Amino acid sequence: MATDGEPGRRRRCCAQDTPGAAKVADPRGDSDGPRRGSLCERHCAAINNAQADLGELGCHLHRPRGTPATSTPSCCQQHSEEVCESCVVKTTLTAENAVEANKLSNNYKFGFKKWKSHVTARPWEDRSEIVKELYSDLNIIRASGGSSLTCGNVLYLLLFGWWLSLLYVLVAAVMFITVMGAPYGRLCWDLAGYFLWPFGKVIQKVEVPKSPQASEASVGESSALLGGPTALRWRPRCWVGTGYWHHASTAVWLCLGYPLLALAHGLVCVAAWLLIVLIPVAKLSARAASRVLLLPPRRLLVRRLRMTEVPLEGEVILCCYRAANPYYYKYAVDGINVFAVNLLPLVLVTLVLGYVDSPNRLTGSAVKFTLALLSIMPLSYYIGMAIASISAQSNFAVGAVVNATFGSITELTFYITALIKGSREGNRCYAEVVKSALTGTLVGCVLFVPGLCMVIGGIRHQEQRFNSRSAGVSSALLFLSVGGVFAPTLFSKVYGKLVCGECHNVTQNPLGHYLCHNCHFDLMDNNGTLYYSHVQPLVYTVSILLPAAYLIGLFFTLKTHTHIYDIHISDCHMPGHHHSAVVHWSRWRALVILLLSTLCMSACADLATEHISPILTNSTISQYFIGVTVLAMVPELPEIVNGIQFALQNNLSLSIEIGNCIAVQVCMLQIPILVLFTIFYPTNFTLIFSDLHVYASMFSVVLMNYIFMDGKCDYFQGTVLVMVYFILLAVYFFAPSPSGC
């Protein structure tokens, strides 16, 4: 993590009033001011001396730890000694603009979606050289490109180079046969050698002097399609001065040569873009089809670069040194990660295939279910990006409403559509799958998400620290929510009547031991008196108390006790730079994308529930396992990626908060909403969980609180959480299916 290299600047940042910052004031008069001032002055001097040689300002996180310290005496004149000592662990967030500052501040607010990616365009000069290379055009000539024999270049030769070069040779032969297309034939012959191995070669656009015979022709930026000058380099002298041959040559090229090559380059572009690491090849093909093949032949020059040669004349159109770059996973288009861009066509394929091929003539239910489930991942990303963009550009009230309304829309959409389908078919399996998915989300976000972040972050950082006070708030809410959610289940086991489907006497003695199967607690005995008179009122009471506790938690963390997050937003920038916010998505654009993504999410959830029935019926795997793994964790993949990115930046607090917030929202928002939905639309969903769900959830919450007690962790503790999660998955895998399924 980078820190401020200017001690004075750092002290001023601690004392200033910045919108969105978490501030704590304790005015007690000035009687104790000198004593506090002297103590804080010594502590600040110690931290400033220790941190003075650290890196530059940027968009970074800063957690000074160690000896209790604080800011300048002016800061201490406004705060008590206790608050002054709490400045030691204050997290200083330095943003490039006000919008990014709001987004960073929202990441630390309880109940707000945590988002790693930028919602504004980062200044070009602040980016690393690796990222600059990703976005650079393929027209830069380096003094020394190094060896061109790399694995990525060989992969290009095997996948695209050989057949693309062969195609150019065939087109060149066709052009020579037509005679009039001979100039383009010679060009295709040269390009065949270039696209076979384009590395270390360059395509230039050269300026050709006007000849008296072609004085009326334009030599500007016009291409052959717009009637450029005749190609003196490629045609015989008898052709000079005759515009007929020029137009005939262009017509032959546009009819016989260009369409085939443009189609080939289009296929290469799409394939290379989908592979992501070969995006340079996609750029190469796109520029070849859109510019190189549309220029007159005499304006193009293909040449090989020597190690010390830099062409001085002519514009460089194409110059590629590497076909593959592993860092293209960071590439973004208008702020959208390249993976989300590539998965977006999958959503269209899923919707078209799902609703057009209803009788399953083209594909089966398993394929459609898989496609619908995979389509949820990019839609979850777009919903998260839209929520973060709207919240960062709006005030606190609007951000809170948007996060509360759409924060759990992905999961709720699937759960409600599954309950509706189960109610229409009279199938209890759908309700059991929803309960399994709820439990799987809870267990996965408590064990797997923080555990995986600890392991991956611990590989780079030997020991990671986090804010134990903020984690304690989430842990307390988790204890409360788990106790409230499973209270009706425990109540039913105490007062319900145990009913078994089949029992066998294993001792051949009427008074001996019996082995029973398919046992459950019957709540409908005596016309359902126990359920309707006792259990159902308890369910409604819990469904009211849990959202109320969630609101109290929001008020506690966002209003009265904001200092527990120790967040300070600074408007410090790189020295000499002042950047204005250039947002990727405006508020209206983000709102439109949010609504469209929600609509597509509803359609994909409907398709998933429509085609899950054959999988539940014919699969040999337990329905419990399907619910707690596939249906629970696939919608959370974007959140898992965000948590891993935070952990790699040594910001484990946000990684833990991601999992805790999702788990709290499952118990305190999603389950009460489902109970409220059953009041208006009767379904088979009851807040009675199996013993396996109860034990797994409670054990996970207890283990998580034990791991997070000391406020620090390493990869070993993360491994423990991940291993326990996999053990629970093994239990669900070998568990029998729920009764009635």
Side-chain angles (χ1 to χ4, degrees), residues 452-717:
L452 183 63
C453 294
M454 289 180 187
V455 172
I456 296 179
I459 295 175
R460 177 177 294 185
H461 309 282
Q462 185 175 7
E463 183 179 80
Q464 293 185 291
R465 294 178 177 270
F466 55 89
N467 192 337
S468 58
R469 298 182 64 187
S470 61
V473 175
S474 300
S475 300
L477 288 175
L478 267 178
F479 270 116
L480 172 62
S481 58
V482 169
V485 166
F486 294 118
T489 303
L490 299 177
F491 184 89
S492 65
K493 294 185 183 304
V494 173
Y495 296 100
K497 180 180 179 181
L498 184 64
V499 178
C500 297
E502 185 179 2
C503 295
H504 299 281
N505 190 340
V506 296
T507 60
Q508 303 300 326
N509 186 354
L511 300 179
H513 297 284
Y514 285 83
L515 180 63
C516 299
H517 302 278
N518 297 327
C519 298
H520 63 280
F521 288 93
D522 187 12
L523 304 179
M524 296 300 176
D525 192 22
N526 296 326
N527 297 324
T529 303
L530 176 63
Y531 179 77
Y532 292 110
S533 301
H534 301 280
V535 177
Q536 194 175 57
L538 177 60
V539 171
Y540 293 153
T541 303
V542 168
S543 300
I544 295 175
L545 293 178
L546 288 180
Y550 184 79
L551 294 178
I552 294 174
L554 289 177
F555 187 78
F556 176 82
T557 56
L558 302 180
K559 186 67 177 178
T560 62
H561 288 68
T562 56
H563 62 275
I564 65 175
Y565 289 99
D566 295 325
I567 301 303
H568 175 77
I569 306 297
S570 173
D571 60 353
C572 303
H573 303 292
M574 295 290 291
H577 295 281
H578 300 280
H579 305 295
S580 59
V582 180
V583 296
H584 292 302
W585 296 355
S586 64
R587 277 177 290 189
W588 285 108
R589 181 182 180 186
L591 181 60
V592 171
I593 293 176
L594 178 61
L595 296 178
L596 291 178
S597 300
T598 303
L599 182 62
C600 293
M601 178 72 71
S602 302
C604 291
D606 178 66
L607 291 176
T609 55
E610 181 71 25
H611 298 282
I612 196 177
S613 180
I615 298 176
L616 297 177
T617 305
N618 302 325
S619 176
T620 58
I621 303 176
S622 172
Q623 282 82 355
Y624 283 142
F625 183 79
I626 296 176
V628 299
T629 54
V630 179
L631 303 181
M633 299 310 296
V634 169
E636 308 301 338
L637 283 179
E639 303 291 344
I640 296 175
V641 173
N642 281 330
I644 292 174
Q645 290 178 330
F646 284 127
L648 289 175
Q649 291 187 345
N650 204 16
N651 191 4
L652 193 63
S653 294
L654 290 183
S655 300
I656 295 174
E657 285 297 320
I658 286 176
N660 287 348
C661 286
I662 296 176
V664 169
Q665 288 179 351
V666 167
C667 297
M668 291 190 163
L669 289 181
Q670 295 180 17
I671 290 179
I673 289 175
L674 293 179
V675 173
L676 180 65
F677 176 76
T678 58
I679 297 177
F680 299 97
Y681 191 96
T683 63
N684 296 323
F685 181 79
T686 57
L687 207 58
I688 307 297
F689 291 83
S690 66
D691 295 346
L692 184 56
H693 293 331
V694 176
Y695 299 147
S697 301
M698 291 186 172
F699 177 73
S700 301
V701 174
V702 172
L703 178 62
M704 182 205 68
N705 281 272
Y706 175 77
I707 294 292
F708 294 163
M709 281 193 306
D710 56 354
K712 59 183 180 180
C713 64
D714 47 43
Y715 73 90
F716 175 74
Q717 293 174 321

Side-chain angles (χ1 to χ4, degrees), residues 237-431:
R237 291 183 178 272
C238 61
W239 291 5
V240 177
T242 57
Y244 169 79
W245 289 104
H246 164 70
H247 294 295
S249 176
T250 302
V252 171
W253 167 249
L254 292 179
C255 293
L256 300 180
Y258 178 77
L260 184 60
L261 294 177
L263 178 61
H265 280 294
L267 295 177
V268 172
C269 183
V270 172
W273 181 273
L274 293 178
L275 293 175
I276 295 179
V277 294
L278 295 180
I279 287 182
V281 178
K283 293 182 178 180
L284 183 76
S285 294
R287 176 161 289 197
S290 62
R291 188 169 185 191
V292 173
L293 299 181
L294 295 179
L295 286 174
R298 72 167 185 168
R299 299 289 302 278
L300 295 175
L301 177 62
V302 180
R303 58 185 299 183
R304 178 182 297 275
L305 288 176
R306 299 183 178 89
M307 296 296 292
T308 59
E309 180 185 11
V310 178
L312 301 177
E313 298 180 356
E315 176 189 353
V316 177
I317 300 179
L318 275 180
C319 182
C320 182
Y321 293 92
R322 297 288 184 271
N325 190 334
Y327 290 100
Y328 264 100
Y329 70 90
K330 299 181 178 181
Y331 195 75
V333 179
D334 198 14
I336 308 172
N337 186 267
V338 63
F339 287 97
V341 174
N342 287 352
L343 289 176
L344 186 59
L346 183 65
V347 179
L348 301 178
V349 173
T350 300
L351 296 179
V352 172
L353 191 62
Y355 287 104
V356 173
D357 185 34
S358 299
N360 293 340
R361 296 175 180 174
L362 299 178
T363 57
S365 295
V367 175
K368 293 181 179 179
F369 173 76
T370 304
L371 291 176
L373 211 58
L374 293 177
S375 299
I376 292 178
M377 293 190 295
L379 293 175
S380 300
Y381 178 91
Y382 286 102
I383 290 175
M385 178 75 173
I387 292 175
S389 298
I390 295 175
S391 302
Q393 301 175 67
S394 307
N395 55 30
F396 171 78
V398 174
V401 170
V402 171
N403 279 271
T405 306
F406 293 94
S408 302
I409 194 69
T410 302
E411 298 85 353
L412 286 175
T413 302
F414 176 78
Y415 299 154
I416 291 176
T417 53
L419 292 178
I420 292 176
K421 183 173 178 58
S423 176
R424 291 175 178 176
E425 297 181 358
N427 192 344
R428 292 180 53 190
C429 287
Y430 288 93

Side-chain angles (χ1 to χ4, degrees), residues 115-343:
W115 196 253
K116 175 63 177 63
S117 303
H118 280 65
V119 296
T120 60
R122 294 191 63 189
W124 183 257
E125 60 271 15
D126 293 348
R127 298 190 175 189
S128 64
E129 294 299 326
I130 294 177
V131 176
K132 288 181 180 179
E133 184 179 357
L134 302 181
Y135 293 94
S136 62
D137 292 330
L138 299 180
N139 57 1
I140 300 176
I141 299 178
R142 305 172 188 171
S144 177
S147 175
S148 62
L149 188 60
T150 62
C151 295
N153 295 352
V154 174
L155 181 63
Y156 163 83
L157 176 64
L158 297 177
L159 293 180
F160 309 113
W162 67 272
W163 64 266
L164 200 58
S165 176
L166 181 61
L167 182 62
Y168 268 95
V169 171
L170 295 178
V171 173
V174 173
M175 291 294 103
F176 279 120
I177 292 174
T178 60
V179 180
M180 290 182 295
Y184 288 97
R186 180 61 185 273
L187 175 63
C188 290
W189 180 261
D190 292 341
L191 292 179
Y194 177 83
F195 285 107
L196 178 65
W197 189 264
F199 315 108
K201 301 177 183 177
V202 63
I203 298 179
Q204 287 182 271
K205 185 178 75 171
V206 297
E207 295 293 337
V208 180
K210 289 184 179 181
S211 61
Q213 293 83 359
S215 58
E216 296 181 358
S218 172
V219 293
E221 193 65 25
S222 61
S223 66
L225 294 179
L226 303 178
T230 51
L232 293 177
R233 177 182 173 184
W234 312 121
R235 61 187 181 179
R237 291 183 178 272
C238 61
W239 291 5
V240 177
T242 57
Y244 169 79
W245 289 104
H246 164 70
H247 294 295
S249 176
T250 302
V252 171
W253 167 249
L254 292 179
C255 293
L256 300 180
Y258 178 77
L260 184 60
L261 294 177
L263 178 61
H265 280 294
L267 295 177
V268 172
C269 183
V270 172
W273 181 273
L274 293 178
L275 293 175
I276 295 179
V277 294
L278 295 180
I279 287 182
V281 178
K283 293 182 178 180
L284 183 76
S285 294
R287 176 161 289 197
S290 62
R291 188 169 185 191
V292 173
L293 299 181
L294 295 179
L295 286 174
R298 72 167 185 168
R299 299 289 302 278
L300 295 175
L301 177 62
V302 180
R303 58 185 299 183
R304 178 182 297 275
L305 288 176
R306 299 183 178 89
M307 296 296 292
T308 59
E309 180 185 11
V310 178
L312 301 177
E313 298 180 356
E315 176 189 353
V316 177
I317 300 179
L318 275 180
C319 182
C320 182
Y321 293 92
R322 297 288 184 271
N325 190 334
Y327 290 100
Y328 264 100
Y329 70 90
K330 299 181 178 181
Y331 195 75
V333 179
D334 198 14
I336 308 172
N337 186 267
V338 63
F339 287 97
V341 174
N342 287 352
L343 289 176

Side-chain angles (χ1 to χ4, degrees), residues 15-38:
Q16 68 183 0
D17 251 350
T18 306
K23 298 180 282 292
V24 181
D26 190 9
R28 300 181 180 178
D30 299 331
S31 59
D32 295 335
R35 178 177 63 84
R36 292 195 302 268
S38 60

